[in-house]
Amino acid sequence: MTDLARLVQALPKAELHLHLEGSLEPELMFELARRNGIDIPYDSVEAIRAAYDFSNLQDFLDIYYVGMNVLVTEADFFDLTWAYLTRVHAENVRHVEVFFDPQGHTDRGIAFDTVVAGITHALDRAKAEWGLSSKLILCFLRHLSEEAAFETLEMARPHLDRIDGVGLDSSELGHPPSKFQRVFEAAGALGLKRVAHAGEEGPPAYIHEALDLLKVDRIDHGNRALEDGTLVARLGREQMTLTVCPLSNLRLCGIARLEDHPLKRMLALGLRATVNSDDPAYFGGYVNDNYIRTAEATGLTADEIVELARNSFRGSFLPADEIARHLAEIDAVVETVG
Ligand code: ADE
Ligand code: ZN
């Protein structure tokens, strides 16, 4: 292991941008397809991996929605979530705020309860066994209607003791945040946190809308904010957390090479950037790989890596005392490593 990889491994971290359905590894996809008698358009794990060659977000989403069809029973959602948590526990991740896409399941006739029961069973077990804490965020699919989002929020009502926030994902271009202003307002009135993918492929105006109309607590991605100086100044002033996903940006062709990734520039501009994996089974790396590969490609310093880990807790929805405890643990690692 390089010194850099040792530092990343040693640092306690939170992951704030992770789609559970995007952590479905080809091996598990195959096993669940067999277990549930579901046809998938691949005849081997290698064929699945070979299909993961994307030129943009929509290319990926088309395959992502087919992949999740193998998830049927509560046990499937448990296995999916447990595999992710096992993986990041080994990477010294102490807290996760994970997304799920209920409409990707309820539209196939899977009960909302089944999805939430399987996921939360795994989240509870990770907390009990390892002290790994979590928040659960329901994402609305933005290519679907406002009405469908309201129906999903209604389905979530009996589960609000287990759901901490709402998010907005799927095809960004042509589906601006303004389309979901009313449903985000309703979610806020229910006491839910609010986040939205913005500026992944969409223009800076979508980030303005997420802030002004959806009243988000975080921006997911936010890369294209860098095209708008006024927006950068605002994001810095408000210390708005950006959940940046470098390997995702590379694989979806937002950047041509990892060397071109703007993470280091975001930090230099005073933005509260964090590092996350987005859909690790599809993009070739979990959270530590995102730190290590981006650090190697863009020359992040040890101090910058530590700052990114601190930001992951500062930007979380944990209570202040827990954030302080995690930050103190980071300080202790810095003392021993430095
Ligand atoms: N759903 C899963 N991953 C996504 C991403 N990176 N952007 C938008 N929607 C998504
Ligand atoms: Zn995402």
Side-chain angles (χ1 to χ4, degrees), residues 154-177:
E154 211 42 53
M155 283 187 233
R157 261 181 196 273
H159 303 278
L160 289 185
D161 56 330
R162 298 310 313 258
I163 294 173
D164 302 285
V166 296
L168 186 63
D169 66 359
S170 192
S171 320
E172 187 180 9
L173 290 170
H175 301 284

Side-chain angles (χ1 to χ4, degrees), residues 12-27:
K13 293 164 295 282
E15 178 152 54
L16 306 180
H17 185 155
L18 179 283
H19 302 263
L20 283 171
E21 296 90 343
S23 72
L24 178 60
E25 291 287 345
E27 289 79 5

Side-chain angles (χ1 to χ4, degrees), residues 235-254:
L235 293 169
R237 201 170 52 243
E238 296 179 3
Q239 282 298 282
M240 176 60 58
T241 299
L242 306 181
T243 64
V244 180
C245 307
L247 292 177
S248 165
N249 299 148
L250 179 66
R251 293 293 290 271
L252 300 185
C253 304

Side-chain angles (χ1 to χ4, degrees), residues 99 137-140 165-169 184 193-196 220:
F99 300 138
I137 299 174
L138 172 172
C139 283
F140 300 116
V166 296
L168 186 63
D169 66 359
F184 267 62
K193 294 287 189 186
R194 287 167 280 190
V195 301
D220 295 316

